Amino acid sequence: MSTVAERSTARKRALLEEKVLDEIDDRLGTSKWLRNAMDKIFPDHWSFMVGEIAMYSFVILIITGIYLALFYSPSGSVVVYHGPYAPLDGQKMTQAYESVINLSFSVRAGLVMRQAHHWAADIFLAAIAFHLCRVFFTGAFRKPRETNWIIGLTLLLVAMLEGFSGYSLPDDLLSGSGLRVVFSIIQSIPFVGVWVAFTLWGGAFPGTSVFFTRLFVIHEFLFPLILLGLLGAHLGILWHQKHTDFPGPGKTEHNIVGSRLWPQYAIKSGGLFMFIAAIVFGLGGFVQINPIWVYGPYSPARGSAGTQPDWYVGWLDGALRLWPHWEFRSFGHEIANPFFPGILLPGIVFTIMYAWPAIDRRLFADNEEHNLLDRPRDKPLRTAIGVGALFFFADLTVASATDLIGNALNISFELLIEILQYGSFVAPIVAGVVTYKVCNLLNAQNAHPIQRPVGGIIVRDARGAFHTLGAEHAHEAHDGDRHGNGGDSGHGGEEPGLEAAGLEAAGLEAAGLEAAGLEAAGGEPAGG
Amino acid sequence: MSRTNKSRALAGPAALVALAAALFSVLVWAVPAPAQSKASTNVAAKAPAKVAAGTVANDAGGTIAVSTNPATITAGQFLYDEHCQACHGSGAVGARAPQLLDVGPAAVDFMLSTGRMPLNSITQQPLPGRPYFNKTEIAQIVAYINFVDRSHGTPGVGIPKVTPASLSEGNQLFLLNCSQCHDASGAGGMLSHGYVVPSLRQATKEQIAEAIRVGPRPMPGFGPGQLTDQQVSAIANYVYYLAHSGNRGGFGIANFGPVPEGFVAIIFGLGLLLLVARLIGNRG
């Protein structure tokens, strides 16, 4: 209940808002578009916000990135360091490395910005990967959303390249070691590899002084602009096609149930952004990432154990480690070893992922438009393939940490490699088969994997007797044919009044479920 | 709002806090226990000083003197016979384990002060741990083996004296000679055939210098022809600085580089954000 004074204030505020908005509308004509936009409905499910985590991480990456670019110097020319970090004093290094050291130690808020940038990048890629999984396992890529699947995959690919180019910019020992590996992988491409590598680096490794300028332009302009453009298209298409949603009460292929963009969804989304900023800068301030002063300036003669790429490139590093030492020669030409795990494997992986909407269409003979999502269990085969692929990537990623795992668990390096080599075949197959079985089991039991299965609804019939309507009972009441009881009447005489109670159950659902302290599995009312 | 919804609304933030706490404790657990490091640092740091106390210097400059006091040597022999002889043989001539007739004080002090010896099983790779002997006992055993080696005419490597040196020189030498196996952060790594590369972050300057000179296998030893005394001191000073200058930028996540970083980003970063999304997302 509001007082008179409160109501009068609110009226005044509304009048002021109206005036300001009118002024804007007179000049830009935005109100018509805004009225539509503000009423746009977004479905309420937490998993639909993961893409936003990626988007907001990208926003933080741009903000922190601009700050870093103010102090980074993309130059390969050699300077002698004299600064506050004693162990590097008097050492020769590239200007690029020196500028990042100065950024870390001499620029106000430089280190926290650099660390936040790096953490945001790691979280950005993690959120993209999770978002990709959500879209895959729920079948959200199906017609009409194939285009956005392809754009999303391209975003992932460019984000990985963007991340790697950023990892390479400081010219520390890790950067240089990573570039050394990538240079060799590019070199291994048959026929053109050497030309491509020499063109990019401006000569033999470690390249000429033009290299860091190029890398900087790629990281600072080329890839971010591609990402921005693709993100715009991704969101534009999403806006046009409208959001998918899980099936549930009142949800059809042709409607969307959820919150309006303004004010509910905007507040939710804004809140999420605040949390992301808090966690990214919290990590940036409290947890060290990529201490380039420890790695030292890059020199081809140096090396470090535990040299790994950032996590999202780990599966490719792992593939290089697991690939057997086979050599292939044909027509007097050798196809260099790194080509297979470094170029062919990601090539095949991304081709399959790009082609997945088409493969899925054939697999399930389904060319219909879908706005309602599958639950993962609804398509056991797709889910099994997806989980198998995740285990494959996990196996390769673990392989990129073999030296650390060997150190921590005291397992022989060779044994570990061998286990993971077999694991890259066995783990996906086993995981896929188990997933397939679990999906079928869940379908058979109609149970939720995490939540407690519906125990039943207690209803009271006309004669005053109590009955428990479990999932099975509810099912029976509506699926009489299966039990040979015939027709819609469902039951024989052994449980009089149950059918009537079953119909009532739908109406009682809201009250009955709460009272019994139970939740309907998957949002589906037990009574139908 | 119903009762169920209210309890769920509370359960969410509670789960968030619980997860954050759990993750933090995992992070804390991931770094080596301070108690152990403190113990080994204390014992080892003072060991060479103890050795020097009330003794006669019997070696050239650049090494720390070892006691030649007969009482100390006898005490060392007593300890040797009790704890070492079973494998290394009576009079250090070797039995199941190698002879110690030419190893010198540096090797003995290194093996004992880092807790590598005595070993439970001779097939094991000696790895650092809690020292079995206290600093006095170590000095006694060192004196005994030094006596045996000298009587044999092969004095071995003396305990290097670490002098103040340039951190920058140490940094360059470390990245050129050591980080390939020990990691640029000194956190250690892995070799082939199941050999572990130990972390250097608990080691004292003297232990680092000893290891460089002695080469505790499978690590190669670096003689004066490869690294001068000054260079050994520089490396020892730098490695000690690396582990004791604090992690600029915050908590170091075991100083193992991108793998634990990715772990934290996914589990702590994205994991918390998914929980947040779960809390925010399902509200109408």
Side-chain angles (χ1 to χ4, degrees), chain A residues 398-421:
Chain A
V398 167
S400 93
T402 35
D403 41 353
L404 304 192
I405 295 167
N407 179 293
L409 302 181
N410 219 335
I411 302 175
S412 150
F413 191 80
E414 293 86 341
L415 181 66
L416 206 54
I417 290 283
E418 209 168 311
I419 291 171
L420 291 167
Q421 278 175 335

Side-chain angles (χ1 to χ4, degrees), chain A residues 108-128:
Chain A
R108 194 172 293 268
L111 186 54
V112 70
M113 286 297 223
R114 194 170 78 75
Q115 295 201 138
H117 191 73
H118 205 135
W119 284 119
D122 278 9
I123 291 172
F124 178 48
L125 266 299
I128 292 178

Side-chain angles (χ1 to χ4, degrees), chain A residues 43-47 49-50 53 57 84-91 105 111 115 118-119 122-123 126-127 130 167 173-174 258-259 264 267-269 271-272 275-276 279-280 283-291 293-297 299 301-311 400-408 410-414 451 513-515 517-519, chain B residues 1-5 8 16 27 124-125 127 166-199 201 238 241-242 245-284:
Chain A
D44 297 317
H45 193 274
W46 66 272
S47 69
M49 300 192 91
V50 180
I53 297 179
S57 307
Y85 189 65
L88 291 176
D89 193 51
Q91 286 195 39
F105 291 144
L111 186 54
Q115 295 201 138
H118 205 135
W119 284 119
D122 278 9
I123 291 172
F130 194 95
Y167 173 94
L173 191 52
L174 276 189
S259 319
Q264 294 102 316
I267 290 170
K268 285 163 68 169
S269 191
L272 185 65
F275 268 106
I276 294 166
I279 287 173
V280 163
L283 283 171
F286 292 114
V287 187
Q288 185 189 61
I289 189 165
N290 198 17
W293 52 91
V294 170
Y295 302 125
S299 143
R302 291 174 175 181
S304 170
T307 299
Q308 267 97 8
D310 277 344
W311 78 266
S400 93
T402 35
D403 41 353
L404 304 192
I405 295 167
N407 179 293
N410 219 335
I411 302 175
S412 150
F413 191 80
E414 293 86 341
Q451 283 170 344
L513 282 180
E514 303 282 14
L518 296 169
E519 288 176 26
Chain B
M1 219 185 195
S2 71
R3 185 176 54 82
T4 332
N5 276 351
R8 279 183 68 188
L16 200 72
L27 290 179
Q124 264 182 329
Q125 180 192 358
L127 285 171
S166 150
L167 282 176
S168 182
E169 190 189 3
N171 169 289
Q172 294 177 63
L173 289 166
F174 180 76
L175 290 171
L176 203 55
N177 295 296
C178 319
S179 64
Q180 284 79 353
C181 299
H182 284 286
D183 199 306
S185 67
M190 196 70 199
L191 291 174
S192 49
H193 302 294
Y195 285 112
V196 172
V197 181
S199 166
R201 298 182 72 88
Y238 174 66
Y241 172 89
L242 202 53
S245 57
N247 284 312
R248 290 167 176 81
F251 179 66
I253 346 173
N255 301 92
F256 263 134
V259 171
E261 287 164 7
F263 187 80
V264 169
I266 294 172
I267 305 296
F268 193 82
L270 185 68
L272 273 182
L273 287 172
L274 289 181
L275 273 177
V276 169
R278 179 77 178 74
L279 287 178
I280 298 177
N282 284 13
R283 270 144 215 264

Side-chain angles (χ1 to χ4, degrees), chain A residues 194-207:
Chain A
V194 178
W195 298 95
V196 174
F198 273 54
T199 307
L200 282 174
W201 267 261
F205 191 83

Side-chain angles (χ1 to χ4, degrees), chain B residues 4 10 21 47 76 97 103 107 120 139 151 164 191 210 216 228 230 237 255 264:
Chain B
T4 332
L10 286 176
V103 293
N120 285 331
S151 322
L191 291 174
E210 284 166 353
T228 63
Q230 179 59 28
N237 275 298
N255 301 92
V264 169

Side-chain angles (χ1 to χ4, degrees), chain A residues 66-190:
Chain A
I66 288 172
Y67 188 80
L68 301 183
L70 295 172
F71 304 100
Y72 178 72
S73 150
S75 162
S77 49
V78 177
V79 293
V80 177
Y81 175 77
H82 292 292
Y85 189 65
L88 291 176
D89 193 51
Q91 286 195 39
K92 280 184 184 170
M93 54 185 66
T94 58
Q95 215 175 326
Y97 181 78
E98 190 205 26
S99 69
V100 186
I101 288 289
N102 285 337
L103 171 65
S104 305
F105 291 144
S106 308
V107 172
R108 194 172 293 268
L111 186 54
V112 70
M113 286 297 223
R114 194 170 78 75
Q115 295 201 138
H117 191 73
H118 205 135
W119 284 119
D122 278 9
I123 291 172
F124 178 48
L125 266 299
I128 292 178
F130 194 95
H131 180 57
L132 175 81
C133 291
R134 200 278 295 168
V135 168
F136 179 86
F137 286 114
T138 58
F141 55 82
R142 292 174 299 175
K143 192 176 172 184
R145 296 184 174 78
E146 299 97 329
T147 328
N148 244 6
W149 168 261
I150 286 164
I151 292 174
L153 275 177
T154 316
L155 275 167
L156 168 66
L157 196 61
V158 177
M160 280 173 65
L161 292 170
E162 171 74 345
F164 181 77
S165 61
Y167 173 94
S168 305
L169 277 179
D171 194 31
D172 60 311
L173 191 52
L174 276 189
S175 302
S177 308
L179 285 171
R180 171 77 257 190
V181 173
V182 168
F183 187 87
S184 303
I185 289 174
I186 294 176
Q187 256 187 325
S188 76
I189 303 171

